[in-house]
Amino acid sequence: MSQLALVIDLNKCVGCHACATNCKAWNTAGEFGPLTDKEPYGKQPEGVWFNRVQTYEVGKYPKTEVINFPKSCMHCKNAPCVEVCPTGASYKREEDGIVLVNYADCIGCKYCSWACPYGCREFDEHDGVMKKCVLCVNRIYNENLPEEERKPACVLACPTRARIFGDIDDPESEASRAIREKHGYKLLPEAGADPSTHYLPQRKVKVELDEDELYVKPLAIVTIEKKITSYKEQIFDDFMSP
Amino acid sequence: MRPERSLVLLLVLAGAGQGIFVFLAVMDIFVPHLIDGVRPAVIYSLGASSLAFTFAGMAASLFHLGNPQRGWKAVLRWQSSWLSREAVSMGLFSAAAALYPLLYFIKAPGGIRAMVGIAGICAAIALYISSAMLYARIRFIREWSNKLTIPNFIIFGLTSGGAVSYAILCLMGINYAALREIMIVLGAGSLILKTFAFIFNKNVYVPTNIKNALVMNDPNIRLMSTGTSYEHYNTKEYSSGLSDAQIRSIQITSLFLAFIIPLILWMAVPARPDAAKIFAILAALSMIAGLLIERRLFFIEGNHLQNLYYSRFRGNAARNPLLSKAKKGTPVPVK
């Protein structure tokens, strides 16, 4: 038994939406597409996305942090969406734990989306079936692709490598190590779905420089110095933050 | 949740159809002396209206499906899915409801008809329970997943079925005092149950919040962007977009139309048959119209846990001032 999953490092995510757009580009053209849009170039564009990035502000001004929060199907171990499906169109693969929808059997009753506590399923009104993240199952086993590209499209697109893909049941995988070493956690543990996707927390990075260290002036330090003169002991998330 | 017209129609019409059949079968099998002399008229009229209501509900439910042409596949997973069980019991019930008047028409022995009738009653009860469990099973909506849902579906269904049966019988000039008393008891029961549901929904507490949804230990979490410039499935399907004041007015309308007015009308039914006719028909119309609003309310009041992620969770979660100001149909303001 293995359970493939994503581990998303909120400390690295900059909210660029590259994962979401690359996901849509790959999947709308692949076996699980098209991810149809309504008025894509109009005033009120709507459409199906497997992956969405939300942005939250945490804390009170001026001590606030921005959390960019990518959310796609969690491929839960105890998936509540699978057991409620009346046709068996929604199923969890035994070999790798990926939750998929068989479009040919889906009647579009939307019951599975009601049973999902995370809101990770999206109904395609054009095709009349429920669609969701497939963990790029058509990429990760695709022998036509070079070995290093056999990963989900979102993982490949991430410029800050905030997304790790791997088998979380294998204690030696990169994903399991990241969960273990960087305090990975699950969303809504009380919902009882046992999601496989883990998040790594955003960490507070303190920059503490003594006076004499400020005489060394590489480019990065110059920008820090400017801020330090106005806010002593300012907390930074990391150097990428504005 | 967004109230979907097709599901509201399915629940109200099929529920009434089952109720009519239960009344017909109980009268015909267990208290046969009640309808001696008018048996054919009662069986044909109530049987036909039960079928008409049930099939209208089933037809409406097809509009809910994205792919109604393969709707038959919904019976496949009856071991695990309550929706599937609903589809199976719907099939069994409509078969029994269609067979029952037919058996009378071909003058089949009374024993066979009684067996089909009892099977139909069992299927109707199974259908009420599986329809209710379909909603009660979703534990992320506390307004649905509680002990009141199953009695709610059974009593409201039986009351609306009884109201229609009583109106039809009065229309044919058959005014049973016993039936009127049963309707008063059922109507009062519905009213009490609905009051309990109001109290439950008003005090519902969901032991989670956006802190748990994002697993961040800070009470000040504000949604800045949903990541899209307009709404999408998850922002539309799980919230009705109605304000608290609008919801309250819907609650009051449904309470009067579906429960209080019919109850008063049944209690005030005069002895003169032609006047009783008007009272019974008005009560049935008010009940059906009120239940349509009540079932719509059932969806509107459902508050799904995933609304936490979009700051649309009503009640004990922090609200996003940007989103609560947004009117229905206008784009979500994005900072």
Side-chain angles (χ1 to χ4, degrees), chain A:
Chain A
M1 271 295 283
S2 67
Q3 173 66 59
L4 298 181
L6 293 170
V7 177
I8 299 168
D9 193 344
L10 297 182
N11 197 43
K12 288 184 181 167
C13 179
V14 291
C16 67
H17 292 248
C19 52
T21 48
N22 200 34
C23 164
K24 177 128 176 166
W26 171 262
N27 283 303
T28 202
E31 288 99 318
F32 297 95
L35 311 186
T36 49
D37 286 318
K38 208 165 109 188
E39 274 195 67
Y41 306 105
K43 275 186 183 168
Q44 300 179 339
E46 278 184 63
V48 180
W49 293 69
F50 287 173
N51 184 14
R52 292 183 187 270
V53 185
Q54 289 166 247
T55 307
Y56 297 91
E57 185 186 54
V58 180
K60 263 191 178 164
Y61 180 82
K63 289 194 173 178
T64 53
E65 295 172 48
V66 169
I67 308 278
N68 296 302
F69 189 75
K71 184 159 66 77
S72 56
C73 175
M74 309 273 162
H75 298 279
C76 303
K77 287 189 174 173
N78 182 19
C81 52
V82 169
E83 58 183 354
V84 301
C85 179
T87 66
S90 230
Y91 64 102
K92 187 171 174 70
R93 282 157 56 110
E94 284 205 354
E95 62 270 33
D96 51 17
I98 299 178
V99 178
L100 291 178
V101 180
N102 181 357
Y103 295 163
D105 278 349
C106 178
I107 56 172
C109 66
K110 302 170 197 155
Y111 192 31
C112 53
S113 71
W114 295 359
C116 174
Y118 304 104
C120 287
R121 291 180 161 244
E122 300 204 7
F123 184 67
D124 189 329
E125 278 174 29
H126 183 265
D127 291 355
V129 295
M130 193 55 77
K131 295 188 173 173
K132 64 177 278 300
C133 161
V134 294
L135 212 58
C136 286
V137 69
N138 50 355
R139 267 198 92 94
I140 58 181
Y141 298 114
N142 193 337
E143 293 186 352
N144 297 325
L145 292 173
E147 183 120 21
E148 64 274 16
E149 282 186 24
R150 291 182 204 161
K151 284 179 175 178
C154 55
V155 174
L156 293 171
C158 183
T160 61
R161 310 217 172 155
R163 302 173 79 92
I164 305 166
F165 167 70
D167 179 3
I168 59 162
D169 276 358
D170 172 11
E172 291 311 308
S173 70
E174 193 193 349
S176 295
R177 268 209 312 279
I179 295 170
R180 212 164 44 230
E181 289 164 8
K182 295 182 178 173
H183 310 287
Y185 61 84
K186 302 168 182 178
L187 298 186
L188 282 176
E190 67 272 33
D194 197 5
S196 302
T197 298
H198 284 67
Y199 287 82
L200 306 181
Q202 185 164 32
R203 297 189 297 275
K204 290 190 174 171
V205 181
K206 271 189 178 172
V207 180
E208 288 178 3
L209 291 176
D210 292 332
E211 280 289 312
D212 59 323
E213 284 176 290
L214 292 176
Y215 290 104
V216 191
K217 289 192 177 176
L219 192 63
I221 300 289
V222 174
T223 47
I224 292 169
E225 186 194 0
K226 278 181 190 165
K227 301 216 171 178
I228 280 189
T229 46
S230 49
Y231 304 104
K232 281 270 177 192
E233 293 182 3
Q234 169 73 39
I235 296 164
F236 292 101
D237 295 341
D238 58 32
F239 289 6
M240 301 295 286
S241 303

Side-chain angles (χ1 to χ4, degrees), chain A residues 10 17 38 43-47 49 52-60 63 65-67 69 71 74 78 80 82-90 103-123 125 127-130 185-193 202, chain B residues 1-2 4 7 64-68 70-78 80-84 133-135 137-141 144 207-210 212-216 218 220-234 236-238 299 304-311 329-331:
Chain A
L10 297 182
H17 292 248
K38 208 165 109 188
K43 275 186 183 168
Q44 300 179 339
E46 278 184 63
W49 293 69
R52 292 183 187 270
V53 185
Q54 289 166 247
T55 307
Y56 297 91
E57 185 186 54
V58 180
K60 263 191 178 164
K63 289 194 173 178
E65 295 172 48
V66 169
I67 308 278
F69 189 75
K71 184 159 66 77
M74 309 273 162
N78 182 19
V82 169
E83 58 183 354
V84 301
C85 179
T87 66
S90 230
Y103 295 163
D105 278 349
C106 178
I107 56 172
C109 66
K110 302 170 197 155
Y111 192 31
C112 53
S113 71
W114 295 359
C116 174
Y118 304 104
C120 287
R121 291 180 161 244
E122 300 204 7
F123 184 67
E125 278 174 29
D127 291 355
V129 295
M130 193 55 77
Y185 61 84
K186 302 168 182 178
L187 298 186
L188 282 176
E190 67 272 33
Q202 185 164 32
Chain B
M1 301 293 285
R2 183 176 58 88
E4 192 159 323
L7 289 181
H64 169 67
L65 299 182
N67 277 293
R70 43 180 186 249
W72 64 270
K73 286 188 178 178
V75 299
L76 292 176
R77 283 297 164 106
W78 57 273
S80 64
S81 170
W82 281 103
L83 202 159
S84 198
M133 275 308 289
L134 192 160
Y135 296 94
R137 183 70 185 69
I138 298 175
R139 59 184 191 277
F140 310 119
I141 304 177
W144 293 1
T208 190
N209 50 34
I210 187 156
N212 287 27
L214 296 174
V215 195
M216 284 182 195
D218 195 312
N220 301 297
I221 300 178
R222 199 169 66 85
L223 178 69
M224 292 169 77
S225 158
T226 58
T228 46
S229 46
Y230 188 59
E231 310 254 353
H232 56 91
Y233 178 73
N234 288 312
K236 288 193 301 185
E237 176 75 5
Y238 299 92
F299 284 94
H304 199 286
L305 201 58
Q306 79 97 38
N307 285 337
L308 283 172
Y309 291 102
Y310 297 98
S311 288
T330 55

Side-chain angles (χ1 to χ4, degrees), chain B residues 8-155:
Chain B
V8 171
L9 283 173
L10 164 72
L11 293 179
V12 174
L13 296 180
Q18 290 152 252
I20 297 170
F21 182 81
V22 170
F23 268 82
L24 164 66
V26 167
M27 277 197 296
D28 191 25
I29 298 166
F30 297 107
V31 274
H33 61 274
L34 259 186
I35 50 174
D36 274 343
V38 285
R39 181 162 277 112
V42 169
I43 289 182
Y44 293 142
S45 62
L46 292 192
S49 48
S50 164
L51 273 181
F53 271 89
T54 309
F55 281 122
M58 278 164 81
S61 77
L62 289 180
F63 287 96
H64 169 67
L65 299 182
N67 277 293
Q69 76 280 9
R70 43 180 186 249
W72 64 270
K73 286 188 178 178
V75 299
L76 292 176
R77 283 297 164 106
W78 57 273
Q79 299 103 322
S80 64
S81 170
W82 281 103
L83 202 159
S84 198
R85 286 171 203 168
E86 187 191 28
V88 171
S89 34
M90 177 75 96
L92 293 178
F93 168 72
S94 36
L99 209 57
Y100 195 79
L102 194 70
L103 284 176
Y104 185 77
F105 180 72
I106 60 169
K107 298 198 168 50
I112 295 177
R113 201 172 81 233
M115 269 161 62
V116 171
I118 291 170
I121 294 174
C122 293
I125 300 294
L127 182 46
Y128 281 136
I129 292 177
S130 46
S131 298
M133 275 308 289
L134 192 160
Y135 296 94
R137 183 70 185 69
I138 298 175
R139 59 184 191 277
F140 310 119
I141 304 177
R142 289 288 286 132
E143 288 83 356
W144 293 1
S145 120
N146 59 57
K147 291 194 173 68
L148 293 173
T149 306
I150 292 178
N152 169 322
F153 274 62
I154 294 178
I155 293 194

Side-chain angles (χ1 to χ4, degrees), chain B residues 137-320:
Chain B
R137 183 70 185 69
I138 298 175
R139 59 184 191 277
F140 310 119
I141 304 177
R142 289 288 286 132
E143 288 83 356
W144 293 1
S145 120
N146 59 57
K147 291 194 173 68
L148 293 173
T149 306
I150 292 178
N152 169 322
F153 274 62
I154 294 178
I155 293 194
F156 293 1
L158 285 180
T159 313
S160 58
V164 175
S165 311
Y166 183 52
I168 290 172
L169 291 185
C170 281
L171 203 61
M172 297 192 307
I174 314 161
N175 183 6
Y176 291 123
L179 200 54
R180 186 177 79 100
E181 279 157 23
I182 291 171
M183 287 325 299
I184 291 172
V185 171
L186 278 175
S190 315
L191 185 60
I192 292 167
L193 193 73
K194 188 66 210 173
T195 317
F196 273 118
F198 273 138
I199 294 169
F200 181 87
N201 286 349
K202 203 165 189 303
N203 299 312
V204 71
Y205 175 71
V206 182
T208 190
N209 50 34
I210 187 156
K211 272 164 64 184
N212 287 27
L214 296 174
V215 195
M216 284 182 195
N217 194 18
D218 195 312
N220 301 297
I221 300 178
R222 199 169 66 85
L223 178 69
M224 292 169 77
S225 158
T226 58
T228 46
S229 46
Y230 188 59
E231 310 254 353
H232 56 91
Y233 178 73
N234 288 312
T235 58
K236 288 193 301 185
E237 176 75 5
Y238 299 92
S239 57
S240 60
L242 296 177
S243 70
D244 287 354
Q246 283 169 314
I247 294 178
R248 207 164 304 123
S249 70
I250 295 174
Q251 283 171 340
I252 293 167
T253 321
S254 77
L255 190 66
F256 271 91
L257 275 180
F259 306 103
I260 295 175
I261 294 177
L263 192 59
I264 292 172
L265 285 172
W266 287 322
M267 288 200 282
V269 168
R272 270 178 51 220
D274 50 338
K277 205 183 284 180
I278 294 168
F279 273 63
I281 291 170
L282 278 181
L285 288 177
S286 166
M287 176 106 210
I288 295 292
L291 273 189
L292 286 172
I293 299 172
E294 200 280 332
R295 280 288 170 250
R296 201 169 154 255
L297 185 67
F298 181 74
F299 284 94
I300 290 170
E301 283 185 329
N303 191 14
H304 199 286
L305 201 58
Q306 79 97 38
N307 285 337
L308 283 172
Y309 291 102
Y310 297 98
S311 288
R312 291 179 181 211
F313 196 77
R314 285 187 281 109
N316 50 7
R319 280 201 169 172
N320 180 2

